[in-house]
Amino acid sequence: FYACIVDISPNLIKTFIGQAMQSGLVSSETTFIFTSLDFSGVSLELGRYSGSTILGLSLLDSKSNLQLNETVTALVETSYRSAVLFDSVLLLSHGLQHLSESTDPQIPRVSCENRTGMYEGG
């Protein structure tokens, strides 16, 4: 049993599988794990009947009921980096919203004139 982790651009996956088949790396005992985050758009016709296990990740779930607007969907299909950025901004937004709902920060008034008094928050 062999497992290969492959970190290449999505447009090179088809070529990689073809080269791996020609060199004898593709067999029923081989598993290929591709790190590309937009694996769902890759055509795997070359490796379909090879017997090897081919795994990959996708940021878009075709079976999900989540409806994104057309702009976001187009960005995700164009580049996974935009999807990661979208998710990170969304996560930050939810975190700040939760923080503002759960706590009421009390910020003391400080003065630059008073050099001996220190602000507790840093």
Side-chain angles (χ1 to χ4, degrees):
F1 176 75
Y2 300 100
C4 302
I5 298 175
V6 184
D7 184 23
I8 58 175
S9 175
N11 58 342
L12 296 174
I13 291 175
K14 187 176 180 180
T15 304
F16 174 84
I17 292 174
Q19 292 290 323
M21 288 178 74
Q22 288 178 357
S23 63
L25 292 174
V26 179
S27 71
S28 61
E29 296 180 354
T30 308
T31 299
F32 292 100
I33 303 170
F34 290 92
T35 61
S36 171
L37 294 178
D38 49 354
F39 192 73
S40 63
V42 176
S43 172
L44 298 174
E45 290 300 318
L46 284 175
R48 184 173 301 262
Y49 304 107
S50 66
S52 67
T53 304
I54 299 174
L55 304 171
L57 304 171
S58 177
L59 292 175
L60 290 178
D61 183 5
S62 60
K63 298 174 186 170
S64 174
N65 293 331
L66 178 65
Q67 298 294 321
L68 299 175
N69 67 36
E70 291 178 17
T71 305
V72 173
T73 303
L75 282 172
V76 172
E77 290 174 349
T78 303
S79 170
Y80 69 88
R81 288 177 181 91
S82 59
V84 172
L85 179 61
F86 176 80
D87 284 347
S88 63
V89 170
L90 190 64
L91 179 64
L92 176 65
S93 169
H94 286 298
L96 290 174
Q97 181 180 2
H98 179 69
L99 178 66
S100 68
E101 291 171 355
S102 63
T103 61
D104 185 22
Q106 298 294 324
I107 301 173
R109 295 197 177 265
V110 293
S111 171
C112 293
E113 304 294 322
N114 183 3
R115 296 180 185 252
T116 59
M118 304 235 355
Y119 174 56
E120 293 176 8

